[in-house]
Amino acid sequence: MYSCIIVEDDPVFIDQIRTYCDASTLFAPPAIYRTAMEAFNILGSVNPDLLILDYDLPDINGLDLLGILPPNIPVVMSTIHTDKAATCYNIDQVADYLVKPYEYTRFLKAVRRAIEKRNRLSGLIQDPAESAPSVAVLPPKKYIYLRTGRVKTRFMLDEIIYAEAFGPFVKLYSLNSVMAINMRMAEIEQELPGDTFIRIHKSYIINSQHLIRLEKSRLQVGSVKLPIGITYRSKTIKFMAQLGIIESDDE
């Protein structure tokens, strides 16, 4: 198994990364450090196979820490910043750049890149099939983090009823609240799991778990009736057929 050090001060993301590492079956239990200096002190005496490094740390930022670390440690940056990627990729140690919050599959992709970089740095030549151990499948996620103002807010997926485009924002309707999300519909559509959520209109994404009634040109989720856009009708019918809600020839 590979060794891993996580440098992160947010307990939510510490738990997420630790869960992802455990689910992958690739790593021994990772060591956790919450400041750059804690990590620097230990990295002077150990050489992990992977360093997962947060950009924003309480003492110095992740890039400054990279500048004083040995060059043979493969690094995956983990950050809320989308504008630092180019700078990070210019640093030899950085194998990948993850923007929080990220999915398990995206995490695995970053891990693969880091392991490949580790093997190159170590001068190892391996068959790709041999250097890629099988991984366990993480259970379906139960929640999602979305931008509300300047923060990330957690939403339970099964409580989301539908999303509605609202100018540059999106209104998210759940069982207990209506909140403005500081994201575009296309961004939210990519974040929501496609096995239960479907975009039925340029302005609406619905959670099929709350579907009450389906008609030719509209449907009902919860107590609300929403239109099915002409350009989205074929995709919606196919989606409903895959769920077994209608017969495939009902279109």
Side-chain angles (χ1 to χ4, degrees):
M1 300 183 95
Y2 296 107
S3 60
C4 176
I5 287 179
I6 300 170
V7 186
E8 169 67 67
D9 65 322
D10 188 323
V12 171
F13 288 108
I14 289 174
D15 288 342
Q16 181 189 59
I17 299 170
R18 186 157 33 199
T19 298
Y20 285 177
C21 286
D22 182 60
S24 75
T25 71
L26 295 171
F27 297 98
I32 313 293
Y33 300 96
R34 297 175 183 270
T35 70
M37 286 300 97
E38 286 178 359
F40 175 73
N41 290 335
I42 193 67
L43 287 168
S45 56
V46 300
N47 189 18
D49 296 311
L50 173 64
L51 172 63
I52 301 177
L53 178 61
D54 183 25
Y55 183 91
D56 293 302
L57 294 169
D59 41 6
I60 64 174
N61 69 49
L63 283 184
D64 290 337
L65 176 60
L66 278 182
I68 54 177
L69 289 181
N72 60 338
I73 301 175
V75 176
V76 170
M77 295 296 297
S78 174
T79 175
I80 61 171
H81 302 290
T82 59
D83 59 340
K84 306 295 184 181
T87 301
C88 290
Y89 276 126
N90 283 332
I91 300 174
D92 289 340
Q93 298 108 299
V94 176
D96 209 340
Y97 184 92
L98 296 176
V99 178
K100 300 175 183 176
Y102 41 85
E103 303 293 331
Y104 176 60
T105 52
R106 182 65 183 88
F107 169 83
L108 280 183
K109 186 175 182 179
V111 165
R112 299 295 188 192
R113 290 175 174 172
I115 290 174
E116 289 173 2
K117 180 176 283 289
R118 166 198 174 273
N119 291 338
R120 289 196 300 270
L121 291 172
S122 302
L124 299 177
I125 301 175
Q126 296 182 344
D127 185 297
E130 296 177 352
S131 63
S134 60
V135 298
V137 176
L138 191 69
K141 64 181 181 179
K142 296 182 179 180
Y143 52 83
I144 190 173
Y145 285 89
L146 300 173
R147 290 197 300 272
T148 54
R150 296 186 177 182
V151 301
K152 295 275 189 175
T153 300
R154 188 173 78 169
F155 296 89
M156 302 304 294
L157 287 169
D158 59 1
E159 293 181 1
I160 298 172
I161 302 172
Y162 70 99
E164 177 185 12
F166 189 70
F169 302 95
V170 171
K171 283 186 178 179
L172 196 72
Y173 295 79
S174 66
L175 293 177
N176 302 311
S177 66
V178 179
M179 295 194 69
I181 309 299
N182 188 25
M183 299 171 68
R184 299 281 185 175
M185 282 291 276
E187 295 177 280
I188 291 183
E189 185 179 12
Q190 290 181 352
E191 294 288 342
L192 293 170
D195 57 341
T196 51
F197 288 84
I198 174 73
R199 190 167 186 174
I200 62 164
H201 188 280
K202 66 179 182 180
S203 298
Y204 298 106
I205 298 172
I206 64 129
N207 184 349
S208 62
Q209 293 177 312
H210 293 280
L211 180 67
I212 302 297
R213 184 181 180 89
L214 177 63
E215 301 176 14
K216 184 175 182 179
S217 59
R218 65 178 182 174
L219 52 74
Q220 180 178 342
V221 284
S223 60
V224 179
K225 293 183 178 180
L226 302 174
I228 300 174
I230 295 176
T231 58
Y232 293 87
R233 184 172 185 274
S234 178
K235 179 182 177 182
T236 301
I237 294 299
K238 182 178 180 181
F239 178 83
M240 297 302 174
Q242 290 174 340
L243 292 181
I245 296 172
I246 62 173
E247 298 294 332
S248 59
D249 57 356
D250 283 352
E251 185 177 1

